Amino acid sequence: MADFRKVGDGRDEARAVAGHQVGRAHRKIDAVDRMRGVARYTDDLKLPGMLHGRIKRSPHAHARIIAIDPAPALALPGVHAVITGADLPTPYGVIPWTPDENALAVTKVCHVGDGVAAVAAVDEDTAIAAVDAIVVSYQPLPAIFDPVAALASTDEPINPYAKHGNLSKHVDLAFGDVDGALAGSALVLDTEFHFEGSTHAALEPHCALATVDGHGVLTVWSATQVSHYLHRELAKVLGWPAHRLRVIQPPVGGAFGGKSEPFDLEFCAALLAVRTGRPVKFLYTREEVFLAHRGRHPMAMHYKTGFDRDGRITAVDARTVIDGGAYSSFGLVTTYYSGQLLGAPYLLPAFRFDSTRAYTNKPACGPKRGHGSVQPRFALESQLDMAAVELGVDPIELRRRNFLGADARTINQFAVGSCGFLECLDRVEAGSGWRARRARLPYGRGLGVAGSTYISGTNYCIYPTELPQAAVQITLDRSGRARIFTGANDIGQGSSTMVAVIAAEELGLDLADIRVVAADSDLCPVDLGAYSSRVTLMVGNACLAAARALRGQVAGAVARRWQLAPGQVGLVARAAIDLTDPARRCSLTEAFQWAEADHGLLTAAGSYDTPRDRHGDYRGGTIGASPAYSFTAHVAEVEVDVATGEVRVVEVWAAHDCGKALSPSIVAGQIEGSVYMGLAEALMEAHTVDGAHGGVVAAPSLLDYRMPTALDTPAIHALIVEHPDAQGPYGAKEAGEGPLHPIIPAIASAIYDAIGVRLTRTPFAPPQVLAALTDRAAREAAGALAPHKRREVG
């Protein structure tokens, strides 16, 4: 207890190192329950008299609904109710400006799998039979699966609520003299890129259970990651008073953005529970998860980027067409994010982006880890690597030359605080042995580098409000424990552990002394949900405020009895100690009881709202603005089999500036998960719709949808870089989504380094690699290209 140091949170008091929680390795507080199999997910919940629901889905990609006859289904024994779109006619949308979706289709279906009716029956077999018995008459309409064709179409708009044909959203923003800068550039790269759509593939399918109690309160348990938005939209669509709605999120088996908004099953469970007077549960089949996905948007990107002779960027001119699918989802934000988040970590003297999102007859696309910015990052980082080759500059050095800097403003006027990007580059350069090894790797093996940035939550939330974006309430127990009430949704990222760590740090508790009650709208203050990597910074700040208020009360009570100044009392390792005489101490239990005697029940609330000075004053200037930005750099090493075209990622060094790692083992886990998910998109994933066969999803199962297994996963070196930010709790920034971005362009550049072919379309599957090799061989044979240097060496 004799070892004292100053903590990095701005306070000057000395505190004992022993017992500190921030910065220690922690196991997630719910890990043991999950590993033992006793955690109860939504589908594990069973209520007396519970019915089972199923949704009838459209076989057509685009069709008008002529009539729905539920009578054959209702005639089946065990069927309690059937509902259609006419029962839920109010349109909704997670973005309040784009309410273009119904719980069940009302007038027409817009993609294969659109829900048209739902049943509640005594068991699943009966529900399936009832769905099959419902008779729906359709008038098929022409379907469009290509966004460019959809934008050009003068036929009936795909979305029934569309105001501008098949145009979902258009954003055109320019900063600086782009044309003049390009005209004066030493090198201008003009490249077409295509990023394929992908889905989240969470292990737990979407599930919802609803019931109405004797007091008329409608409770919905859902595997959602934004219970607040579900609460809001349920009240709107059902016309049900918000105060008689309760939303509870049980443990969730993965989300990654795919459970960010309400889905048809939650509305159907709720209404059928009201209609039948019995609990009703819906569980998606795996095929339904693919049909209902809100995954990564396919993007066609035309990038024109200028450089001076030293490799410094002079201008970026980006034009993007986004395939949005049938509904808006988060698409308004996606369209902005496709350009707005490119302003760092590099200094862009001039920047223009023109992004257009189109409706098509496909399942809607929405937010997936790294929402909207993974695709453009692939394009820009690939062009940086191309420029490095053209100008003869080392790719890492070229990135250093373009560094934006800390405490800077991006070209689009976002305020960047701390920035550890250069250290990220240093770490991956050293870890990979870049300088010593890259030039000596044989033909077929290569190293590639890329960098990126990401937000720690959005400065302005999804809907206009003056209310806090996050709030936490903490109550201390006279037995020496704490209860934390938070509306934050823990979807596996560890947000419940994060608030426990902060409370434990401030109050001197062990994590075992803390109970976290989360994501229950009846018990917890409102939080806006687990998206945009906002939870650690926003909920963490709210928790810090509440914990410090209580800490002041407890320290004050102890100080009064010991006749000290409150600042001379430390709370650490389950004890209150006299900082001037560490041998003088009492248990926290006794300290809490003294404080309760002085103040009554020990409870405090903290809330957080974002600062308003982080963005520019232009239309859309708030979208992409964040209190703090994380930074990442990756080096990937690949091996390419030139006979088969197979790319194997051998090793990845991933350095991420998370500000301050509150729980390093969890941060490392987030980095590893991001790398895995990114390399899956780089090499394998494609959520495709087969237009030649009526618009069916091509691979709607985990057997057919290609993803890496553990055997395909390389050695990943998660390198934590800490540049604390003044906006974050103890300086913390995000670590959930940012580490995904660089892996895809890093793999692309490593492939170039290995075999001399530049891949500009994802995924980098064997046929694409072989086609690129064949093309290069033809150009070499024609004398247009020299043999790749590696092959000369090999």
Side-chain angles (χ1 to χ4, degrees):
M1 197 60 66
D3 185 12
F4 290 86
R5 65 177 173 84
K6 291 189 176 183
V7 296
D9 58 0
R11 292 171 293 162
D12 292 327
E13 61 197 294
R15 301 176 66 188
V17 171
H20 278 294
Q21 296 292 340
V22 167
R24 290 176 57 180
H26 307 99
R27 184 166 58 194
K28 290 178 183 174
I29 61 173
D30 60 348
V32 172
D33 284 350
R34 289 180 185 253
M35 288 189 293
R36 293 175 62 211
V38 300
R40 301 184 73 201
Y41 298 84
T42 305
D43 190 41
D44 294 322
L45 304 178
K46 295 178 174 59
L47 296 176
M50 187 176 78
L51 303 175
H52 294 265
R54 283 280 175 158
I55 295 173
K56 187 173 183 67
R57 300 190 177 278
S58 167
H60 300 286
H62 198 193
R64 202 176 311 285
I65 299 172
I66 305 302
I68 301 176
D69 182 4
L74 290 168
L76 293 175
V79 174
H80 284 248
V82 177
I83 58 174
T84 68
D87 295 299
L88 294 161
T90 303
Y92 72 95
V94 68
I95 308 291
W97 294 275
T98 55
D100 62 0
E101 188 168 3
N102 290 102
L104 295 169
V106 176
T107 59
K108 67 174 187 175
V109 293
C110 299
H111 66 89
V112 171
D114 231 354
V116 295
V119 305
V122 291
D123 53 42
E124 289 189 75
D125 288 343
T126 304
I128 292 169
V131 161
D132 291 341
I134 296 171
V135 178
V136 184
S137 300
Y138 295 101
Q139 177 193 355
L141 298 168
I144 308 176
F145 305 106
D146 177 75
V148 175
L151 291 169
S153 173
T154 56
D155 295 339
E156 175 178 316
I158 290 168
N159 187 289
Y161 298 99
K163 298 176 181 176
H164 308 287
N166 289 326
L167 174 64
S168 169
K169 180 64 183 176
H170 177 235
V171 175
D172 183 5
L173 287 173
F175 309 91
D177 180 10
V178 175
D179 294 327
L182 288 174
S185 297
L187 171 69
V188 177
L189 297 172
D190 192 338
T191 317
E192 301 279 353
F193 295 91
H194 181 84
F195 201 103
E196 188 56 88
S198 64
T199 197
H200 312 80
L203 282 180
E204 182 196 20
H206 301 60
C207 187
L209 167 64
T211 191
V212 182
D213 68 15
H215 304 286
V217 174
L218 172 60
T219 299
V220 178
W221 293 263
S222 173
T224 180
Q225 67 182 87
V226 189
S227 50
H228 175 60
Y229 293 161
L230 176 58
H231 189 272
R232 282 173 58 89
E233 298 306 296
L234 281 171
K236 175 183 177 183
V237 173
L238 297 174
W240 196 271
H243 69 277
R244 289 205 288 125
L245 260 172
R246 181 181 184 185
V247 173
I248 302 172
Q249 177 227 301
V252 171
F256 314 114
K259 299 171 182 173
S260 297
E261 57 194 298
F263 288 85
D264 51 14
L265 82 170
E266 290 148 335
F267 296 110
C268 292
L271 182 59
L272 285 167
V274 173
R275 291 278 177 90
T276 64
R278 294 174 63 167
V280 181
K281 181 196 286 182
F282 280 74
L283 172 68
Y284 276 173
T285 64
R286 182 56 63 179
E287 181 177 8
E288 285 179 300
V289 174
F290 278 89
L291 293 173
H293 99 140
R294 300 297 163 107
R296 183 90 68 214
H297 286 76
M299 288 191 189
M301 300 170 285
H302 181 180
Y303 269 58
K304 187 182 292 186
T305 302
F307 298 85
D308 67 17
R309 295 188 185 282
D310 295 325
R312 293 184 176 84
I313 299 169
T314 56
V316 176
D317 186 8
R319 185 173 295 272
T320 302
V321 177
I322 305 170
D323 187 345
Y327 301 108
S328 284
S329 178
F330 279 79
L332 183 151
V333 176
T334 313
T335 314
Y336 276 101
Y337 277 13
S338 65
Q340 286 284 76
L341 298 187
L342 277 182
Y346 310 114
L347 176 64
L348 306 183
F351 177 42
R352 177 168 63 212
F353 74 96
D354 183 303
S355 295
T356 304
R357 185 180 189 269
Y359 290 115
T360 57
N361 289 113
K362 299 178 180 178
C365 294
K368 185 185 175 188
R369 200 174 195 170
H371 180 193
S373 59
V374 171
Q375 305 95 320
R377 183 59 60 184
F378 163 56
L380 182 61
E381 291 289 329
S382 292
Q383 285 199 320
L384 290 179
D385 200 70
M386 296 160 72
V389 173
E390 291 286 336
L391 298 170
V393 179
D394 179 87
I396 292 179
E397 172 58 23
L398 183 135
R399 286 167 171 80
R400 289 194 179 104
R401 292 180 186 180
N402 283 288
F403 178 51
L404 173 69
D407 301 317
R409 283 267 176 183
T410 66
I411 184 70
N412 48 342
Q413 292 300 301
F414 292 167
V416 173
S418 67
C419 179
F421 183 60
L422 289 183
E423 185 178 343
C424 291
L425 287 174
D426 292 346
R427 296 284 297 277
V428 297
E429 182 183 51
S432 65
W434 177 274
R435 293 186 184 182
R437 295 177 60 236
R438 186 165 180 261
R440 296 205 298 267
L441 289 174
Y443 180 76
R445 196 141 178 155
L447 288 173
V449 65
S452 74
T453 184
Y454 201 63
I455 56 177
S456 302
T458 57
N459 235 43
Y460 285 82
C461 61
I462 294 299
Y463 60 90
T465 179
E466 297 296 321
L467 302 175
Q469 295 196 36
V472 168
Q473 184 178 21
I474 304 176
T475 298
L476 301 186
D477 189 296
R478 63 181 65 175
S479 68
R481 300 189 309 168
R483 292 187 295 277
I484 302 175
F485 300 88
T486 169
N489 297 88
D490 195 330
I491 56 173
Q493 85 278 37
S495 64
S496 291
T497 305
M498 180 272 296
V499 293
V501 167
I502 289 176
E505 172 72 23
E506 291 298 319
L507 295 164
L509 293 166
D510 188 88
L511 295 194
D513 305 325
I514 295 175
R515 302 289 181 269
V516 179
V517 180
D520 182 330
S521 64
D522 264 16
L523 302 180
C524 305
V526 169
D527 177 73
L528 297 190
Y531 63 93
S532 296
S533 290
R534 56 177 294 285
V535 176
T536 293
L537 189 142
M538 297 185 182
V539 179
N541 272 324
C543 183
L544 191 60
R548 284 183 172 171
L550 287 171
R551 179 174 169 274
Q553 289 185 321
V554 175
V558 175
R560 188 167 74 85
R561 285 160 178 81
W562 289 350
Q563 297 184 330
L564 298 171
Q568 293 177 293
V569 175
L571 305 180
V572 65
R574 290 172 164 162
I577 62 173
D578 180 349
L579 293 174
T580 63
D581 179 11
R584 186 185 189 187
R585 60 178 52 212
C586 70
S587 71
L588 272 187
T589 301
E590 188 173 15
F592 285 7
Q593 290 175 4
W594 286 345
E596 187 171 343
D598 288 354
H599 301 284
L601 177 66
L602 295 175
T603 187
S607 60
Y608 176 81
D609 202 0
T610 52
R612 305 297 168 120
D613 59 349
R614 315 292 292 174
H615 57 83
D617 184 20
Y618 57 89
R619 184 177 176 82
T622 62
I623 303 178
S626 176
Y629 296 85
S630 69
F631 295 89
T632 308
H634 289 183
V635 164
E637 181 170 353
V638 305
E639 185 175 62
V640 183
D641 185 330
V642 295
T644 66
E646 182 181 7
V647 177
R648 183 173 74 90
V649 180
V650 179
E651 205 160 355
V652 175
W653 295 264
H656 183 73
D657 170 21
C658 64
K660 171 66 181 175
L662 303 183
S663 190
S665 55
I666 295 178
V667 171
Q670 288 291 309
I671 295 172
E672 291 169 358
S674 281
V675 170
Y676 165 81
M677 186 172 276
L679 77 87
E681 294 188 68
L683 300 179
M684 296 185 182
E685 290 196 67
H687 184 272
T688 55
V689 168
D690 187 350
H693 292 85
V696 298
V697 173
S701 74
L702 293 183
L703 182 63
D704 297 315
Y705 186 77
R706 297 192 69 230
M707 291 188 303
T709 67
L711 296 177
D712 303 305
T713 305
I716 300 171
H717 304 277
L719 307 172
I720 296 174
V721 173
E722 294 182 309
H723 282 238
D725 195 283
Q727 300 290 331
Y730 307 104
K733 304 185 287 190
E734 79 87 29
E737 299 182 82
L740 189 149
H741 296 67
I743 186 61
I744 299 163
I747 291 173
S749 296
I751 293 171
Y752 180 84
D753 188 49
I755 59 174
V757 300
R758 182 72 60 185
L759 300 178
T760 57
R761 297 178 64 93
T762 64
F764 312 138
Q768 188 183 351
V769 174
L770 289 176
L773 279 169
T774 300
D775 177 69
R776 179 173 181 103
R779 287 189 288 160
E780 287 181 8
L785 281 178
H788 187 56
K789 61 178 181 180
R790 302 285 179 236
R791 194 160 57 178
E792 288 179 329
V793 173

